[in-house]
Amino acid sequence: METNEASRVSRPRLASEIYNRQSLEEQAVSLIESRQKPEHDSWQLEPRLNARTAIFEELTAKGHLSHVEFDEAPETANRRTLRRLLNGWSDNLQGWEMERRLHEITEELTIHRVWEDIQAGELPKDTVVITISDFPEMCPDYMAPRIGYRALNKKGMVRVTEFSGGKRVIEQISRSNSNDGSSESFLAANGIVAGSGSARILGSQIIAAKRDFPDGVISVQRALDSMAGPDIIYGENHGLAEKHLPDYHELRQVSADREDQAAGFINKLADFEAKLNRDYQTGKISYSEKLAKYNARRKELVTQICLLNPAYARDARGEAAVVHFEQASLAMASGDHQSGISHMEEALATSDPDAGVVCGGEPFEESNAQLGQKAAQTYNEALQERKNWKWKKGVCAVKECPTRPEKTEVGPCRVCRKCQTIFDKGKKPESVYKTAGFWESVIRALAA
Ligand SMILES: [Zn+2]
């Protein structure tokens, strides 16, 4: 038995080398067995955090980093996280999904043990806990979206928890092709024998010192990608269709900027949840009605974000819908709202229910009769929100724009200031640029 605190993490180790995994799992089982009906206080204080997580889980399929800093004491964070996990438990889950949920509860117990041991001086202050949550290979693709897994890219997550300045901080990155064997190779490269398969991997917390992964979860993701092969980033081939994915060094900032830009939508969803919580507490709606209403509202808001920035459409609504989101978006920028709404209707009709999958969500289903009405409503709400959209670096969506293919400041609908000014005058950028090109050539010819 090693007692020296530093030697316990002198290299990355499996949590089960330090803690008795079996007794932690038994503790998890007894928490499940003694759980009460859904409890409020685990979620009523965190609508904003819930909203941010849920919206970005649906918007992005890989290459997004979520950073969550708990303002409360680690004891409170632990209690509330356990409640949230227990609220999500159901005895009607598939056996393999129950096993995964049990692993997640055990992960939470492990994380808190690490905090207690840091406090007791048994572990160094910079100890981190790593969890790799891969796409469950036992889940049939058709079933995946209903349970909350994205089968299209075999989406997985990797997360790192640390206690910086006595506060719990979790960072998580989404990645594609998560069950390609990179997790097993990563563990083996660190001298860890954990067995193979997503359940084993999820049940294998790694305890390490921050110096082994200096950039936290990004260091882990980088290592996983290097196991998958050259040119792989977030599980995708960087050289092919996924050129737009942020580099590792900019991932934290790009992700924070995306969330900042969507702040108006995050606030809307958070306010909506606060209202649902009141309705639930006064008995107006049941817990499952609360979830259903929340999911429906989140989908509406995510669709609006795709309209204001169609770069999200591929991940969130599927390949077939992309062109319709782009057309609806450009129509909005040009002020042609009638055709914007009809493109929006196409975008909804072609949205892939398997694309924007969220844990605990339901697939996107709309009857055709409601589609027109839904399209108009979604479009008009996004049009209102358009005013608050922040300008950001990006490639202008107007094909004829002279700034292309370089990046410039783009606003809502991914249109640059110059093109937007032309649209606002009721003109078409293509004809304005063409005319400008004509006069330029005349002037050049005269000067020659
Ligand atoms: Zn432009």
Side-chain angles (χ1 to χ4, degrees), residues 120-165:
E122 298 281 326
L123 284 171
K125 285 195 170 62
D126 70 342
T127 304
V128 299
V129 182
I130 302 168
T131 296
I132 304 173
S133 177
D134 290 341
F135 182 85
E137 65 282 6
M138 51 296 236
C139 177
D141 283 4
Y142 76 91
M143 199 186 273
R146 272 182 281 156
I147 312 182
Y149 295 108
R150 197 178 192 282
L152 290 177
N153 68 328
K154 302 284 188 275
K155 181 181 183 180
M157 296 289 190
V158 51
R159 50 185 171 262
V160 170
T161 305
E162 61 178 89
F163 296 93
S164 156

Side-chain angles (χ1 to χ4, degrees), residues 396 398 401 403 416 419 433:
C396 179
V398 175
C401 180
T403 65
C416 78
C419 292
Y433 293 136

Side-chain angles (χ1 to χ4, degrees), residues 353-368:
D354 295 350
V357 176
V358 171
C359 206
E362 288 290 315
F364 191 87
E365 274 169 56
E366 263 352 300
S367 77
N368 277 342

